[in-house]
Coordinates of all heavy atoms in Angstrom, one line a residue:
M1 N 12.9 12.8 -2.9 CA 13.4 12.7 -1.6 C 14.2 11.3 -1.5 O 13.7 10.3 -1.9 CB 12.3 12.8 -0.5 CG 12.8 12.7 0.9 SD 11.6 13.0 2.1 CE 11.9 14.6 2.6
T2 N 15.3 11.3 -0.9 CA 16.1 10.1 -0.8 C 15.8 9.3 0.4 O 15.0 9.8 1.3 CB 17.7 10.4 -0.7 OG1 17.9 11.2 0.5 CG2 18.1 11.3 -1.9
V3 N 16.3 8.1 0.5 CA 16.0 7.2 1.6 C 16.6 7.9 2.9 O 15.9 7.9 3.9 CB 16.6 5.9 1.4 CG1 16.4 5.0 2.7 CG2 15.9 5.2 0.3
T4 N 17.7 8.5 2.8 CA 18.3 9.2 3.9 C 17.5 10.3 4.4 O 17.3 10.6 5.6 CB 19.8 9.7 3.6 OG1 20.5 8.6 3.1 CG2 20.4 10.3 4.8
G5 N 16.9 11.1 3.5 CA 16.0 12.2 3.8 C 14.8 11.7 4.5 O 14.3 12.3 5.5
I6 N 14.2 10.6 4.0 CA 13.0 10.1 4.7 C 13.3 9.6 6.1 O 12.6 9.9 7.0 CB 12.4 8.9 3.8 CG1 11.9 9.5 2.5 CG2 11.3 8.2 4.6 CD1 11.5 8.4 1.5
I7 N 14.4 8.9 6.3 CA 14.8 8.4 7.6 C 15.1 9.6 8.6 O 14.6 9.6 9.7 CB 16.0 7.5 7.5 CG1 15.6 6.2 6.8 CG2 16.6 7.2 8.9 CD1 16.8 5.3 6.5
T8 N 15.7 10.6 8.0 CA 16.0 11.8 8.8 C 14.7 12.5 9.2 O 14.5 12.9 10.4 CB 16.9 12.8 8.1 OG1 18.1 12.1 7.7 CG2 17.2 14.0 8.9
A9 N 13.7 12.6 8.3 CA 12.5 13.2 8.6 C 11.7 12.4 9.7 O 11.1 13.0 10.6 CB 11.6 13.3 7.4
L10 N 11.8 11.1 9.6 CA 11.1 10.2 10.6 C 11.8 10.5 12.0 O 11.1 10.5 13.0 CB 11.2 8.8 10.2 CG 10.2 8.4 9.0 CD1 10.5 6.9 8.6 CD2 8.8 8.6 9.4
I11 N 13.1 10.5 12.0 CA 13.8 10.7 13.4 C 13.4 12.0 13.9 O 13.2 12.2 15.2 CB 15.3 10.5 13.2 CG1 15.6 9.0 12.8 CG2 16.1 10.9 14.4 CD1 17.0 8.7 12.5
V12 N 13.5 13.1 13.1 CA 13.1 14.4 13.6 C 11.6 14.4 14.0 O 11.3 15.0 15.1 CB 13.4 15.5 12.5 CG1 12.7 16.8 12.9 CG2 14.8 15.6 12.2
G13 N 10.8 13.7 13.4 CA 9.4 13.7 13.7 C 9.2 13.0 15.1 O 8.4 13.4 15.9
L14 N 9.9 11.9 15.3 CA 9.8 11.2 16.6 C 10.3 12.1 17.8 O 9.7 12.1 18.8 CB 10.7 10.0 16.6 CG 10.3 8.9 15.5 CD1 11.3 7.7 15.5 CD2 8.9 8.5 15.7
I15 N 11.4 12.9 17.5 CA 11.9 13.8 18.6 C 10.9 14.9 18.8 O 10.6 15.3 20.0 CB 13.3 14.3 18.2 CG1 14.3 13.2 18.2 CG2 13.7 15.4 19.1 CD1 15.6 13.5 17.5
V16 N 10.3 15.4 17.7 CA 9.4 16.5 17.8 C 8.1 16.0 18.6 O 7.5 16.7 19.5 CB 9.0 17.1 16.5 CG1 7.7 17.9 16.5 CG2 10.2 17.9 15.9
G17 N 7.6 14.8 18.3 CA 6.5 14.2 19.0 C 6.8 14.0 20.5 O 5.9 14.4 21.3
A18 N 8.0 13.6 20.8 CA 8.4 13.5 22.3 C 8.4 14.8 22.9 O 7.9 14.9 24.1 CB 9.6 12.7 22.4
L19 N 9.0 15.8 22.3 CA 9.0 17.1 22.9 C 7.6 17.7 23.0 O 7.3 18.4 24.0 CB 9.9 18.0 22.0 CG 11.4 17.8 22.1 CD1 12.1 18.6 21.0 CD2 12.0 18.0 23.5
G20 N 6.8 17.5 22.0 CA 5.4 18.0 22.1 C 4.6 17.3 23.3 O 3.9 18.0 24.0
R21 N 4.9 16.1 23.5 CA 4.2 15.4 24.7 C 4.7 15.9 26.0 O 4.0 16.0 27.0 CB 4.5 13.9 24.5 CG 3.7 13.1 25.5 CD 3.8 11.6 25.2 NE 2.9 10.9 26.1 CZ 2.4 9.7 25.9 NH1 2.7 9.1 24.8 NH2 1.7 9.1 26.8
L22 N 6.1 16.3 26.0 CA 6.6 16.8 27.3 C 6.1 18.2 27.6 O 5.9 18.6 28.8 CB 8.1 16.9 27.2 CG 8.8 15.5 27.2 CD1 10.3 15.7 27.0 CD2 8.6 14.9 28.6
V23 N 5.8 19.0 26.6 CA 5.3 20.4 26.7 C 3.9 20.4 27.3 O 3.5 21.3 28.1 CB 5.4 21.1 25.4 CG1 4.7 22.5 25.5 CG2 6.8 21.3 25.0
V24 N 3.0 19.4 27.0 CA 1.7 19.4 27.4 C 1.6 18.9 28.8 O 2.1 17.8 29.1 CB 0.9 18.4 26.5 CG1 -0.6 18.3 27.0 CG2 0.8 18.9 25.0
P25 N 1.0 19.7 29.8 CA 1.0 19.3 31.1 C 0.0 18.1 31.4 O -1.0 18.0 30.5 CB 0.5 20.5 31.9 CG -0.2 21.3 30.8 CD 0.4 21.0 29.5
G26 N 0.2 17.4 32.4 CA -0.8 16.4 32.8 C -0.4 15.0 32.1 O 0.6 14.9 31.4
R27 N -1.2 14.0 32.4 CA -1.0 12.7 31.8 C -1.8 12.5 30.6 O -3.0 12.8 30.6 CB -1.3 11.7 32.9 CG -1.0 10.3 32.5 CD -1.2 9.3 33.5 NE -0.9 8.0 33.0 CZ -1.1 6.9 33.7 NH1 -1.5 6.9 34.9 NH2 -0.8 5.8 33.1
Q28 N -1.1 12.0 29.6 CA -1.8 11.8 28.3 C -2.1 10.3 28.2 O -1.2 9.5 28.3 CB -1.0 12.3 27.1 CG -0.8 13.7 27.0 CD 0.5 14.1 27.7 OE1 1.4 13.4 27.9 NE2 0.5 15.3 28.3
G29 N -3.3 9.9 28.0 CA -3.7 8.5 27.9 C -3.6 8.0 26.4 O -4.6 7.5 25.9
M30 N -2.5 8.1 25.8 CA -2.3 7.6 24.5 C -1.1 6.9 24.4 O -0.2 7.0 25.2 CB -2.3 8.8 23.5 CG -1.1 9.7 23.5 SD -1.1 11.0 22.4 CE -2.3 12.2 23.1
S31 N -1.0 6.0 23.3 CA 0.2 5.2 23.2 C 1.3 6.0 22.6 O 1.2 7.1 22.0 CB -0.1 4.0 22.3 OG -0.3 4.5 20.9
I32 N 2.5 5.5 22.7 CA 3.7 6.2 22.2 C 3.6 6.2 20.6 O 4.2 7.2 20.0 CB 5.0 5.6 22.7 CG1 6.2 6.4 22.4 CG2 5.2 4.2 22.1 CD1 6.3 7.7 23.1
W33 N 3.0 5.2 20.1 CA 2.9 5.2 18.6 C 2.1 6.4 18.1 O 2.4 7.0 17.1 CB 2.3 3.9 18.1 CG 3.2 2.7 18.5 CD1 2.9 1.8 19.5 CD2 4.4 2.4 17.9 NE1 3.9 0.9 19.6 CE2 4.9 1.3 18.6 CE3 5.2 3.0 17.0 CZ2 6.1 0.7 18.4 CZ3 6.5 2.3 16.7 CH2 6.9 1.3 17.4
V34 N 1.0 6.8 18.8 CA 0.2 7.9 18.4 C 1.0 9.2 18.5 O 1.0 10.1 17.7 CB -1.1 8.0 19.3 CG1 -1.9 9.3 19.0 CG2 -1.9 6.7 19.0
T35 N 1.8 9.2 19.6 CA 2.7 10.4 19.8 C 3.7 10.6 18.7 O 3.9 11.7 18.2 CB 3.4 10.3 21.2 OG1 2.4 10.2 22.2 CG2 4.3 11.5 21.5
M36 N 4.2 9.4 18.3 CA 5.2 9.5 17.2 C 4.5 9.9 15.9 O 5.1 10.7 15.1 CB 5.9 8.1 17.0 CG 6.8 7.8 18.2 SD 7.8 6.4 18.0 CE 6.6 5.1 17.9
A37 N 3.4 9.4 15.6 CA 2.7 9.8 14.4 C 2.4 11.3 14.4 O 2.5 12.0 13.4 CB 1.4 8.9 14.2
I38 N 1.9 11.8 15.6 CA 1.7 13.2 15.6 C 3.0 14.0 15.4 O 3.0 15.0 14.8 CB 1.1 13.5 17.1 CG1 -0.3 12.9 17.2 CG2 1.0 15.0 17.3 CD1 -1.0 13.0 18.6
G39 N 4.1 13.5 16.0 CA 5.3 14.2 15.8 C 5.8 14.2 14.3 O 6.3 15.3 13.9
V40 N 5.6 13.2 13.6 CA 6.0 13.2 12.2 C 5.1 14.1 11.4 O 5.7 14.9 10.6 CB 5.8 11.7 11.6 CG1 6.0 11.7 10.1 CG2 6.9 10.8 12.3
V41 N 3.8 14.1 11.7 CA 2.9 15.0 11.0 C 3.2 16.5 11.4 O 3.3 17.4 10.5 CB 1.5 14.7 11.3 CG1 0.5 15.8 10.8 CG2 1.1 13.4 10.7
A42 N 3.5 16.7 12.6 CA 3.8 18.1 13.1 C 5.2 18.5 12.5 O 5.3 19.7 12.2 CB 3.9 18.2 14.6
A43 N 6.2 17.6 12.3 CA 7.4 18.0 11.8 C 7.2 18.5 10.3 O 7.8 19.4 9.9 CB 8.4 16.9 11.9
L44 N 6.5 17.7 9.6 CA 6.2 18.1 8.2 C 5.4 19.4 8.0 O 5.8 20.3 7.3 CB 5.5 16.9 7.5 CG 6.2 15.6 7.4 CD1 5.4 14.5 6.8 CD2 7.4 15.8 6.4
L45 N 4.3 19.5 8.8 CA 3.5 20.7 8.7 C 4.3 21.9 9.3 O 4.1 23.0 8.7 CB 2.2 20.5 9.5 CG 1.2 19.6 8.9 CD1 0.0 19.4 9.8 CD2 0.8 20.0 7.5
G46 N 5.1 21.7 10.3 CA 5.9 22.8 10.9 C 6.9 23.3 9.9 O 7.1 24.5 9.8
T47 N 7.5 22.4 9.1 CA 8.4 22.9 8.1 C 7.7 23.7 7.0 O 8.2 24.8 6.6 CB 9.1 21.7 7.5 OG1 9.9 21.0 8.5 CG2 10.1 22.1 6.4
V48 N 6.6 23.2 6.6 CA 5.8 24.0 5.6 C 5.4 25.3 6.1 O 5.5 26.4 5.4 CB 4.6 23.1 5.1 CG1 3.6 24.0 4.2 CG2 5.0 21.9 4.4
L49 N 4.9 25.3 7.4 CA 4.4 26.6 7.9 C 5.6 27.6 8.2 O 5.4 28.8 8.0 CB 3.7 26.3 9.3 CG 3.0 27.5 10.0 CD1 2.0 28.1 9.1 CD2 2.5 27.0 11.3
A50 N 6.7 27.1 8.7 CA 7.8 27.9 8.9 C 8.3 28.5 7.6 O 8.7 29.7 7.5 CB 9.0 27.2 9.6
N51 N 8.3 27.8 6.5 CA 8.7 28.3 5.2 C 7.7 29.3 4.7 O 8.0 30.3 4.1 CB 8.8 27.2 4.2 CG 10.1 26.4 4.3 OD1 11.1 26.9 4.7 ND2 10.0 25.1 4.0
A52 N 6.4 29.1 5.0 CA 5.3 30.0 4.5 C 5.4 31.4 5.2 O 5.2 32.4 4.6 CB 3.9 29.3 4.7
I53 N 5.8 31.4 6.5 CA 5.8 32.6 7.2 C 7.2 33.3 7.2 O 7.4 34.3 7.7 CB 5.3 32.5 8.6 CG1 6.1 31.5 9.5 CG2 3.8 32.1 8.7 CD1 5.7 31.4 10.9
G54 N 8.2 32.5 6.6 CA 9.4 33.1 6.4 C 10.4 33.0 7.5 O 11.4 33.8 7.5
I55 N 10.2 32.1 8.5 CA 11.2 32.0 9.6 C 12.2 30.8 9.3 O 13.2 30.7 10.1 CB 10.6 31.9 10.9 CG1 9.7 30.6 11.0 CG2 9.7 33.1 11.2 CD1 9.2 30.3 12.4
A56 N 12.0 30.0 8.4 CA 12.8 28.9 8.1 C 14.0 29.4 7.3 O 13.8 30.0 6.2 CB 12.1 27.8 7.4
T57 N 15.2 29.1 7.7 CA 16.4 29.5 6.9 C 17.2 28.3 6.6 O 17.2 27.3 7.3 CB 17.2 30.5 7.8 OG1 17.6 29.9 9.0 CG2 16.5 31.8 8.0
D58 N 18.0 28.4 5.6 CA 18.8 27.3 5.1 C 20.2 27.5 5.8 O 21.1 28.1 5.1 CB 18.9 27.3 3.6 CG 19.5 26.0 3.1 OD1 19.6 25.0 3.9 OD2 19.9 25.9 1.9
T59 N 20.4 27.2 7.0 CA 21.6 27.3 7.7 C 22.3 26.0 8.0 O 21.6 25.0 8.1 CB 21.4 28.1 9.0 OG1 20.5 27.4 9.8 CG2 20.9 29.5 8.8
P60 N 23.6 25.9 8.2 CA 24.2 24.7 8.5 C 24.2 24.4 10.0 O 25.2 24.3 10.7 CB 25.7 24.9 8.0 CG 25.9 26.4 8.2 CD 24.5 27.0 7.9
G61 N 23.0 24.2 10.5 CA 22.9 23.9 11.9 C 21.4 23.8 12.2 O 20.6 23.6 11.4
V62 N 21.1 23.9 13.5 CA 19.7 23.8 13.9 C 18.9 25.0 13.6 O 19.4 26.1 14.0 CB 19.6 23.5 15.5 CG1 18.1 23.4 15.9 CG2 20.3 22.1 15.8
D63 N 17.8 24.9 13.0 CA 16.9 26.1 12.7 C 15.9 26.2 13.9 O 14.9 25.5 13.9 CB 16.2 25.9 11.4 CG 15.5 27.1 10.9 OD1 15.5 28.1 11.7 OD2 14.9 27.1 9.8
W64 N 16.3 27.0 14.9 CA 15.5 27.1 16.0 C 14.1 27.5 15.8 O 13.1 27.1 16.6 CB 16.2 27.9 17.1 CG 17.5 27.3 17.5 CD1 18.7 27.7 17.2 CD2 17.7 26.1 18.3 NE1 19.7 26.8 17.7 CE2 19.1 25.9 18.4 CE3 16.8 25.2 18.9 CZ2 19.6 24.8 19.1 CZ3 17.3 24.2 19.6 CH2 18.7 24.0 19.8
G65 N 13.8 28.5 14.9 CA 12.5 28.9 14.7 C 11.6 27.9 14.1 O 10.4 27.7 14.5
E66 N 12.2 27.1 13.1 CA 11.4 26.0 12.6 C 11.1 24.9 13.6 O 10.0 24.4 13.6 CB 12.2 25.4 11.4 CG 11.5 24.3 10.7 CD 12.3 23.8 9.5 OE1 13.3 24.4 9.1 OE2 11.9 22.8 8.9
L67 N 12.1 24.6 14.5 CA 11.9 23.6 15.4 C 10.8 24.1 16.5 O 10.0 23.2 16.9 CB 13.2 23.4 16.2 CG 13.2 22.3 17.2 CD1 12.9 20.9 16.7 CD2 14.6 22.2 18.0
L68 N 10.8 25.3 16.8 CA 9.8 25.8 17.7 C 8.4 25.7 17.1 O 7.5 25.2 17.8 CB 10.1 27.3 18.1 CG 9.1 28.0 19.0 CD1 9.1 27.3 20.4 CD2 9.3 29.5 19.1
V69 N 8.2 26.0 15.9 CA 6.9 25.8 15.2 C 6.5 24.3 15.2 O 5.4 24.0 15.5 CB 7.0 26.4 13.8 CG1 5.7 26.0 13.0 CG2 7.2 27.9 13.8
Q70 N 7.5 23.5 14.9 CA 7.2 22.0 14.9 C 6.8 21.5 16.3 O 5.8 20.8 16.4 CB 8.4 21.3 14.4 CG 8.7 21.5 13.0 CD 10.1 20.9 12.6 OE1 10.9 20.6 13.4 NE2 10.3 20.7 11.3
V71 N 7.5 21.9 17.3 CA 7.2 21.5 18.7 C 5.8 22.0 19.1 O 5.0 21.3 19.8 CB 8.3 21.8 19.7 CG1 7.9 21.6 21.2 CG2 9.6 21.1 19.4
L72 N 5.5 23.3 18.8 CA 4.2 23.9 19.2 C 3.1 23.1 18.4 O 2.0 22.9 19.0 CB 4.2 25.3 18.8 CG 5.1 26.2 19.7 CD1 5.0 27.6 19.3 CD2 4.6 26.1 21.2
L73 N 3.3 22.7 17.2 CA 2.3 22.0 16.4 C 2.1 20.6 17.1 O 1.0 20.1 17.2 CB 2.6 21.9 15.0 CG 2.4 23.1 14.1 CD1 2.9 22.9 12.7 CD2 0.9 23.4 14.1
A74 N 3.2 20.0 17.5 CA 3.1 18.6 18.1 C 2.4 18.7 19.4 O 1.6 17.9 19.8 CB 4.5 18.1 18.3
A75 N 2.7 19.8 20.2 CA 2.1 19.9 21.5 C 0.5 20.2 21.3 O -0.3 19.6 22.0 CB 2.6 21.1 22.3
A76 N 0.1 20.9 20.3 CA -1.3 21.1 20.0 C -1.9 19.8 19.6 O -3.0 19.5 20.0 CB -1.5 22.2 18.9
G77 N -1.2 19.0 18.8 CA -1.8 17.8 18.3 C -1.9 16.8 19.5 O -2.9 16.1 19.6
V78 N -0.9 16.7 20.4 CA -1.0 15.8 21.5 C -2.1 16.2 22.5 O -2.9 15.4 22.9 CB 0.3 15.8 22.3 CG1 0.3 15.2 23.7 CG2 1.4 15.1 21.5
A79 N -2.2 17.6 22.7 CA -3.3 18.0 23.6 C -4.7 17.7 22.9 O -5.6 17.4 23.7 CB -3.1 19.5 23.8
L80 N -4.8 17.9 21.7 CA -6.1 17.6 21.0 C -6.4 16.2 21.1 O -7.6 15.8 21.5 CB -6.0 18.1 19.5 CG -7.3 17.9 18.7 CD1 -8.3 18.9 19.2 CD2 -7.0 18.1 17.2
V81 N -5.5 15.3 20.8 CA -5.8 13.9 20.8 C -6.0 13.4 22.2 O -6.9 12.6 22.4 CB -4.7 13.1 20.1 CG1 -4.8 11.6 20.3 CG2 -4.6 13.4 18.6
A82 N -5.2 13.9 23.2 CA -5.4 13.5 24.6 C -6.8 14.0 25.1 O -7.5 13.3 25.8 CB -4.3 14.0 25.4
G83 N -7.2 15.1 24.7 CA -8.5 15.7 25.1 C -9.7 14.9 24.5 O -10.6 14.6 25.2
V84 N -9.5 14.5 23.2 CA -10.6 13.8 22.6 C -10.7 12.4 23.1 O -11.8 11.9 23.5 CB -10.4 13.8 21.0 CG1 -11.3 12.8 20.4 CG2 -10.6 15.2 20.5
S85 N -9.5 11.7 23.3 CA -9.6 10.4 23.8 C -10.0 10.4 25.3 O -10.5 9.4 25.8 CB -8.2 9.7 23.6 OG -7.2 10.3 24.4
G86 N -9.6 11.4 26.1 CA -9.9 11.5 27.5 C -11.5 11.6 27.7 O -12.0 11.1 28.6
R87 N -12.1 12.4 26.8 CA -13.6 12.6 26.9 C -14.3 11.3 26.6 O -15.2 11.0 27.2 CB -14.0 13.7 25.9 CG -13.7 15.1 26.4 CD -14.3 16.0 25.4 NE -13.6 17.3 25.6 CZ -13.8 18.4 24.8 NH1 -14.6 18.3 23.7 NH2 -13.2 19.5 25.0
R88 N -13.7 10.6 25.6 CA -14.4 9.3 25.2 C -14.3 8.3 26.4 O -15.2 7.6 26.6 CB -13.7 8.8 24.0 CG -14.6 8.0 23.2 CD -13.9 7.5 21.9 NE -13.1 8.6 21.3 CZ -12.3 8.4 20.3 NH1 -12.2 7.3 19.7 NH2 -11.6 9.4 19.8
R89 N -13.2 8.3 27.1 CA -13.1 7.4 28.2 C -13.9 7.8 29.4 O -14.4 6.9 30.2 CB -11.6 7.3 28.6 CG -10.8 6.6 27.6 CD -9.4 6.4 28.1 NE -8.6 5.9 27.1 CZ -7.2 5.9 27.0 NH1 -6.6 6.6 27.9 NH2 -6.6 5.4 26.0
A90 N -14.1 9.1 29.5 CA -15.0 9.5 30.7 C -16.4 9.2 30.5 O -17.2 9.1 31.5 CB -14.8 11.0 30.9
L91 N -16.9 9.0 29.3 CA -18.3 8.7 29.1 C -18.6 7.4 29.4 O -18.4 6.4 29.6 CB -18.7 9.0 27.6 CG -18.5 10.5 27.2 CD1 -18.8 10.6 25.7 CD2 -19.5 11.3 28.0

């Protein structure tokens, strides 16, 4: 993987993390850095999952199916981390 590929993956991950945070209702008590980390992980896992189930295509544009999988994974990650950190603060 080239430096450009890594930078592109990080940028996509940041956007996916922000979209995942927007999808989850309510207020999340987590820092933006945690959201970005979740987005990067969700972008990587979403690409692998989209390839595994056969919805990722090699097209010269936005792959909407792959992006949807990535955002759903990011939303699940944000909800999970917000739920776990919210319970800890309530105790």
Side-chain angles (χ1 to χ4, degrees):
M1 183 174 257
T2 65
V3 174
T4 306
I6 293 171
I7 292 171
T8 303
L10 288 173
I11 291 170
V12 168
L14 300 178
I15 293 168
V16 166
L19 290 173
R21 190 170 182 157
L22 288 174
V23 170
V24 176
R27 184 171 178 185
Q28 298 89 28
M30 69 178 77
S31 69
I32 192 68
W33 298 108
V34 174
T35 302
M36 291 189 295
I38 291 170
V40 170
V41 171
L44 294 173
L45 290 177
T47 300
V48 171
L49 184 61
N51 284 327
I53 60 177
I55 61 170
T57 57
D58 193 16
T59 58
V62 177
D63 188 357
W64 295 107
E66 183 178 351
L67 183 62
L68 179 65
V69 171
Q70 291 171 341
V71 171
L72 290 175
L73 282 175
V78 166
L80 181 69
V81 171
V84 169
S85 65
R87 286 186 197 170
R88 207 174 322 170
R89 288 185 185 161
L91 294 176

